Structures are given as C-alpha cells and as structure tokens.
Amino acid sequence: MSKNTVSNRFRTVDVDEYDENKFVDEEDGGENQLGPDEAEVDSLIRQGNLMEALQAVLKNPPINTKNQNVKDCAEGLVLKVLSAFKSSDVEKGVQSLDKNGVDLLMKYIYKGFETPSDNSSAVLLQWHEKALSAGGVGCIVRVLTARKTV
Amino acid sequence: VKRGRGIWRSVWEIFPLSSSNFAFSSLSPSDSDSAPVPQRRACHAAGRSLSGELLLSGGGAPQQARGGGPVSPCVSVCVRDSVCFRVFDHVNAIPFRSSKELLLQPVIISRNDKEKVLIEGSINSVRVSIAVKQADEIEKILCHKFMRFMMMRAENFFILRRKPVEGYDISFLITNFHTEQMYKHKLVDFVIHFMEEIDKEISEMKLSVNARARIVAEEFLKNF
C-alpha cells in the first residue's frame, strides 16, 4: 500500500488554491497614483474655466490604489466640478472628452450615485444621460465589467 | 383585489405562451393590453428629451414631480446590459459569490438618499434591488405590507426574491433560466414599469386608507 493512506492531512488542503487557471486580480503598484490635483482643480473652478477643470479632474484617476481616502477625495472633487457646470454646458463638457474620458466619467458618475447628497443625484442623472448619448451602451458595460474601479 | 392590478397585468405580458400555464389567469388579458406597451416605449424614447425638463422643474418639489423620467432610461439601460447572460452553472453566481471573475461591479442609481436601485450582475444572473420612497409612517406600513404580499407569492412570480437585500425593500433575481423562458426586453420593461408604478400604487392606497378612515370616523361620531 502507498504511504499516503496513513495520514489524512491531504483532506484539509484547499485544492482550489493550487488550480492553475485560478483567476487572480492583477495587483500592479498604484502607490504613485494620487488622484487629481485638488489645488489645481479648485483654482480652475474659481476662475470659471469649467472645461479645463473637467479635464484636470479626470487626470490621474486613483484606479489602482488601495487607499480608500484617495478614492473618496477624488470622488468629492469630481462631484464638485460636475455640480459647478450649468445644465446647458453639460453636453459641451461631455463632447470635449475622448473615449477613455467618457468611460472614466461614467465610472465616477456611478460612484457618485452610491452616496447621494442634497442635489447630487439630479446633477448626476443629467450627466449620465449626456454621457450615455456620447459613450453609448458600451460605456455602461465597460463600467459594469471593470475590475478596477475608481 | 384592486391594488397592484397594474403590476399583475404587466407580469402576464412577459410570458409569450398562452395564459394557461400562468397562475394569474383570472385577470383578463384582453382589455387593452396593446395600449400600455407602446405607451411605455414612447415614454422611454421621449424620456431622453423629457428628462431635461423634468429635472429642471422637478428638482425641488418632493411630491408631484417624482419623474420616473430621468431614472428609467438610466436603469433600463443598466438592466438591459446586465441581462445578457448565458448558461454557465446551475449555481447562481450572485448569492454564492464563489468565483471573483464571474461577478460584475455592483452599480447603484439613486434619485435621492431614500430612493435607489442596486444592480448586481454576474455571468448567469442579475439581482435588482429597489428601495422605495417612504415619506411617512403610513407609507412605510403600506409599502412593507405590499412587498410582503408579493414576496410571499414569490414562487408564482418567478423573478422575485423572497427576501429583499439589506437596506432595500424588494429584490428581483433574474437568472439565465428565466431569460430562456421569457422575453428579455419584456423583463426589463417589467422592472422599469414596476418601479414607476410602485410609487403610484402606494399613494393610491394611502389615499384610500385616509378616505375610509374619514368615513368611518364620520359614521361613528354621528352617534354623538
């Protein structure tokens, strides 16, 4: 008889861990992603240059960081910029973004829905509609299937 | 039973086959079924343009301008996207959560902090949970009872869950089996319709409760 039948430690081994095809999330280093620059964005908002503010706030998205604070900060900033836009300018704002920008915007919009404050949902719904017409259904699917959220 | 009738009628519409294999065959399907469907579709198409005005006018008023407008296209697109699934496993991926790669990001769409819709998708199913607006005690009670009424009959409802997800009032679980038997677009339309109707139903019920209470009180006090 083989030696294995004596001990039964093999019963407690988690076989799934050793499966070659096991899906592991890629964890690349995100330590240097600090999120959009707060000072820059604030100054742009105060100047009234909302298009630039939008571009600036969508730079450096904190996608890979494990630091929740950075993500929350970024989310707050984006919400500020989005609320600062007038309703008629929303469409122009969306047009000024490229495809990746629209995807990123959509991710922030859905993130913003999770913590509704006074008027944020109405603003976000407006932006959602315009972003949808620009990005199409694929944009939403990309948000749903993204493994790394903003 | 008058309450919830609008919802039952649209449940019937999901099934492509005859009403014989449907539990609620007591409802006559003949009365103007074709009317609600095109109306809703037109509403969705026009919803895009409507939503602009609705948002501008309805931002402040809490009771009247409860526009299902802006939220519905939003939710419908999301649900429609997540309803594309295939047969994978007999085990529903969402409640069991065994493998990370099978799950989509959960997405919340909210109108304010009381009303929201949570959509969790996976490779073979999607769970849609709705938090209904409940402004005062009586609406809370009515909503709770109404949801309980439906959830107790969840077996006949097919896509309803017996228990809502934490923090929400009602949950639907739509699996690949359901989409094989029922029209996908109708399922999506049903969920949207449900969301829009639920507010109306609860207001109606509240009005009728108040009216009855008034009549009863009048009759009672006539003795004095």
Side-chain angles (χ1 to χ4, degrees), chain A:
Chain A
M1 296 250 276
S2 68
K3 280 184 269 187
N4 285 349
T5 54
V6 173
S7 93
N8 53 3
R9 260 184 327 160
F10 67 90
R11 294 188 192 280
T12 50
V13 169
D14 183 10
V15 177
D16 283 332
E17 288 286 313
Y18 299 109
D19 186 12
E20 282 164 358
N21 295 333
K22 184 171 159 74
F23 180 82
V24 181
D25 262 330
E26 295 159 14
E27 321 256 0
D28 26 3
E31 279 76 25
N32 47 356
Q33 278 185 348
L34 295 169
D37 188 6
E38 194 166 341
E40 186 189 341
V41 173
D42 275 338
S43 65
L44 284 170
I45 295 183
R46 251 176 282 128
Q47 287 167 16
N49 190 355
L50 292 173
M51 298 293 177
E52 285 297 322
L54 186 62
Q55 302 282 354
V57 87
L58 290 178
K59 273 196 292 214
N60 280 343
I63 286 187
N64 285 335
T65 50
K66 312 236 185 55
N67 189 352
Q68 191 55 35
N69 273 340
V70 177
K71 295 197 180 195
D72 289 340
C73 266
E75 173 55 39
L77 267 183
V78 173
L79 202 50
K80 238 197 309 191
V81 173
L82 294 184
S83 324
F85 265 77
K86 284 203 286 285
S87 328
S88 43
D89 291 337
V90 170
E91 177 138 16
K92 271 189 285 180
V94 170
Q95 301 289 356
S96 72
L97 296 172
D98 62 338
K99 200 163 73 78
N100 286 341
V102 174
D103 282 349
L104 192 53
L105 178 64
M106 205 51 135
K107 276 194 200 166
Y108 273 119
I109 290 177
Y110 277 113
K111 186 92 196 301
F113 272 132
E114 287 172 23
T115 46
S117 62
D118 292 323
N119 210 19
S120 68
S121 296
V123 165
L124 285 174
L125 279 171
Q126 249 186 334
W127 276 91
H128 182 280
E129 193 202 331
K130 294 291 184 303
L132 178 59
S133 52
V137 170
C139 188
I140 295 190
V141 178
R142 280 188 281 273
V143 171
L144 287 175
T145 52
R147 297 220 61 91
K148 307 184 181 155
T149 51
V150 78

Side-chain angles (χ1 to χ4, degrees), chain A residues 110 113 121 129 137 144 146, chain B residues 48 51 78 81 105 108 110-111:
Chain A
Y110 277 113
F113 272 132
S121 296
E129 193 202 331
V137 170
L144 287 175
Chain B
R48 300 271 169 88
S51 60
C78 262
D81 291 341
Q105 292 293 342
I108 300 186
S110 57
R111 197 185 291 159

Side-chain angles (χ1 to χ4, degrees), chain B residues 23-58:
Chain B
F24 301 101
S25 53
S26 55
L27 287 182
S28 68
S30 58
D31 45 343
S32 66
D33 268 329
S34 51
V37 176
Q39 211 179 25
R40 261 183 283 136
R41 290 204 192 282
C43 190
H44 280 316
R48 300 271 169 88
S49 57
L50 269 183
S51 60
E53 288 98 59
L54 272 174
L55 276 172
L56 292 175
S57 65

Side-chain angles (χ1 to χ4, degrees), chain B residues 146-162:
Chain B
F146 191 20
M147 299 301 158
R148 227 175 58 105
F149 172 79
M150 287 197 284
M151 287 193 272
M152 284 205 296
R153 292 153 179 81
E155 273 162 28
N156 291 337
F157 214 118
F158 296 113
I159 58 176
L160 199 61
R161 267 185 106 220
R162 276 190 180 274

Side-chain angles (χ1 to χ4, degrees), chain B residues 12-205:
Chain B
W12 183 86
E13 276 170 16
I14 291 178
F15 286 78
L17 305 174
S18 69
S19 58
S20 57
N21 60 344
F22 183 59
F24 301 101
S25 53
S26 55
L27 287 182
S28 68
S30 58
D31 45 343
S32 66
D33 268 329
S34 51
V37 176
Q39 211 179 25
R40 261 183 283 136
R41 290 204 192 282
C43 190
H44 280 316
R48 300 271 169 88
S49 57
L50 269 183
S51 60
E53 288 98 59
L54 272 174
L55 276 172
L56 292 175
S57 65
Q63 286 303 342
Q64 286 315 340
R66 254 189 247 179
V71 183
S72 318
C74 196
V75 174
S76 78
V77 173
C78 262
V79 178
R80 199 168 296 148
D81 291 341
S82 33
V83 167
C84 307
F85 27 74
R86 60 187 181 99
V87 182
F88 184 74
D89 207 349
H90 279 278
V91 170
N92 270 343
I94 301 180
F96 289 98
R97 294 177 183 271
S98 46
S99 319
K100 270 188 304 185
E101 71 267 26
L102 301 179
L103 299 179
L104 300 181
Q105 292 293 342
V107 154
I108 300 186
I109 303 173
S110 57
R111 197 185 291 159
N112 47 52
D113 59 343
K114 296 272 172 18
E115 295 180 68
K116 39 192 176 152
V117 176
L118 170 69
I119 302 179
E120 303 162 283
S122 82
I123 191 166
N124 61 359
S125 49
V126 73
R127 182 159 73 185
V128 180
S129 314
I130 305 179
V132 174
K133 173 165 180 179
Q134 295 152 40
D136 53 5
E137 274 299 322
I138 194 166
E139 273 189 23
K140 249 192 245 192
I141 299 176
L142 282 173
C143 177
H144 182 64
K145 289 218 174 281
F146 191 20
M147 299 301 158
R148 227 175 58 105
F149 172 79
M150 287 197 284
M151 287 193 272
M152 284 205 296
R153 292 153 179 81
E155 273 162 28
N156 291 337
F157 214 118
F158 296 113
I159 58 176
L160 199 61
R161 267 185 106 220
R162 276 190 180 274
K163 283 189 86 72
V165 172
E166 273 292 326
Y168 294 86
D169 294 313
I170 193 166
S171 298
F172 295 96
L173 180 65
I174 305 177
T175 66
N176 54 321
F177 297 117
H178 296 143
T179 49
E180 282 164 19
Q181 293 171 345
M182 304 189 242
Y183 291 136
K184 259 187 260 185
H185 57 283
K186 290 275 190 185
L187 277 172
V188 173
D189 281 349
F190 168 73
V191 175
I192 305 293
H193 184 57
F194 183 91
M195 273 174 44
E196 291 169 356
E197 288 291 314
I198 201 79
D199 285 339
K200 270 189 254 171
E201 298 274 348
I202 292 193
S203 313
E204 246 177 81
M205 283 196 272

